Amino acid sequence: MLHHVTLHLARSKQFPEGSPRYGYEMTAPLDDQGRLDPQEWSNTRAHCRVRRFWGDEGERQGVLVHRPGGSGGATWMIDYNQDRAGDEEAGYHLHQHRFVPGEYVTIGDDDGHPHTFQVVSVTAGTPRRVGEDR
């Protein structure tokens, strides 16, 4: 089932309190334990959208992709332009993490620098554009 997930930047040296100005809003297929579901992704990939908001830099729109290879046999990534390589952001062991409020996930930016995010909300829902009014 598709879920709407919001991630905010977690505490770090640069942001001791974390920051809701940096993060992601995504529509992603989650199983009953809150883990990304590759089988459901293959059926709903057209709806698996991501909005990245990054302080004063504005936002970027992308898609959630599941690619073969990597740890655990596959890699979850955010791709901002599917016609161009090199703009992807890779998740770190996202297949193992639970997307439930209070949990943490790590996503590397397109330069490969990892950032940790806290899951702040998860709601089940029908497909819609990420960032669209509820």
Side-chain angles (χ1 to χ4, degrees), residues 37-107:
D37 185 339
Q39 179 74 27
E40 184 65 19
W41 175 84
S42 68
N43 297 326
T44 61
R45 74 175 97 195
H47 301 290
C48 297
R49 300 285 188 196
V50 179
R51 180 178 75 91
R52 177 185 189 249
F53 49 96
W54 209 255
D56 295 332
E57 289 182 28
E59 63 180 51
R60 295 172 76 185
Q61 302 287 330
V63 295
L64 181 66
V65 295
H66 186 247
R67 294 193 178 145
S71 177
T75 300
W76 289 96
M77 304 182 87
I78 300 166
D79 193 345
Y80 294 103
N81 184 343
Q82 294 182 312
D83 296 329
R84 184 181 70 209
D87 69 341
E88 302 89 359
E89 296 178 342
Y92 290 87
H93 304 284
L94 290 187
H95 65 286
Q96 296 173 341
H97 293 283
R98 295 178 62 223
F99 285 80
V100 296
E103 293 289 328
Y104 294 89
V105 298
T106 301
I107 299 173

Side-chain angles (χ1 to χ4, degrees), residues 90 92 106-109 111-117:
Y92 290 87
T106 301
I107 299 173
D109 61 24
D111 291 326
H113 299 112
H115 300 281
T116 302
F117 298 88

